[in-house]
Amino acid sequence: MFFLELFQQLSVKILTVALLIILTVYLIRKSIKLFFDKTSFLDEKREETLMHFANQVTKVFGLVFFFIYVLGHFFDLTKLVTGSVVVAGALALVLQHIIRDYIMGLTYLFERQIHHGDYVIINGNRQGKIEEISMRHLKIRQYDGYLYTVSYSSIMELQNGNRGRRRVNESLVLNYRQNPDDAFKVMEEVAQTCNEKYWEYLLKDEHGVPVESFKFNQITELNVDFRGHRYALSGIVKEADFVEAGKKVRYELAMAAYKYELKVAESLNTSH
């Protein structure tokens, strides 16, 4: 009976603490939201980003406090941590990547390198819209619909859409046997065609002049994968039109390659 009563008392305490933590987290989040609703010294995206981050922080701290409280009833945590150098060293080793993620996450947030809703390219091979900013990682929704999670410590390169301006970069990899002079003429024509047909996608300044029209950037890479040379075309477009503009430019490149019978690079194992 004694152990049953003790267990019941402990259960009530743990449940009470859990409810208090949930209530505290809710009130903190509500207060932050009310603060942003009543103020306007930050832009909307910045406020939304800080709200997402604050939600993650309060959740993590709430869980940590709860687990410490529960474990404190079964272990002497002070003696366990301070009395064992080995345990402390092992914890530091295990937590070093987590701590690094937290530090880098704070750096990205407070240096305003990322915002909730930004279109980003991570490490050159993952791109999409930021759907969640947590203390340890980003979640981006890729164009194929998949949700990609990446920890801050694994980000080697991050390209941001600069909130309102995106550069479309498309290219053709042509066989090294292709005459560059002929390819240059075709690519220049494609750039002109894109400027005429997709003028509305281009980002304009206050005078209605394109910030950067579609232009041919000549050969940007030689001997790509030992197959041929890369002929690139780019232009700065409005963020909302980035995906559609990329599709249109790729279509024009494909059509030009077909129309003018350009020698597109082929796989090395292609049989003739």
Side-chain angles (χ1 to χ4, degrees), residues 132-222:
E132 181 181 315
I133 298 176
S134 76
M135 294 179 66
R136 290 193 57 203
H137 60 255
L138 289 176
K139 288 185 178 181
I140 64 172
R141 180 71 64 180
Q142 300 182 124
Y143 296 132
D144 57 10
Y146 286 99
L147 189 64
Y148 177 63
T149 302
V150 54
S151 62
Y152 293 113
S153 59
S154 66
I155 298 177
M156 300 294 105
E157 178 186 5
L158 188 147
Q159 302 175 39
N160 197 308
N162 296 330
R163 302 189 304 278
R165 52 187 294 168
R166 301 292 306 276
R167 176 175 278 105
V168 170
N169 286 290
E170 300 296 342
S171 60
L172 281 177
V173 179
L174 301 179
N175 194 291
Y176 65 90
R177 294 188 179 89
Q178 171 66 53
N179 186 331
D181 290 337
D182 294 338
F184 273 42
K185 293 177 183 178
V186 173
M187 294 296 290
E188 292 284 4
E189 183 176 321
V190 172
Q192 183 178 349
T193 299
C194 289
N195 283 320
E196 294 172 356
K197 295 177 65 174
Y198 311 118
W199 171 266
E200 70 275 13
Y201 294 143
L202 292 171
L203 182 67
K204 317 292 195 310
D205 61 18
E206 63 273 16
H207 304 295
V209 178
V211 174
E212 180 185 303
S213 301
F214 292 110
K215 63 179 181 179
F216 173 44
N217 297 316
Q218 302 188 9
I219 298 176
T220 58
E221 189 176 358
L222 291 173

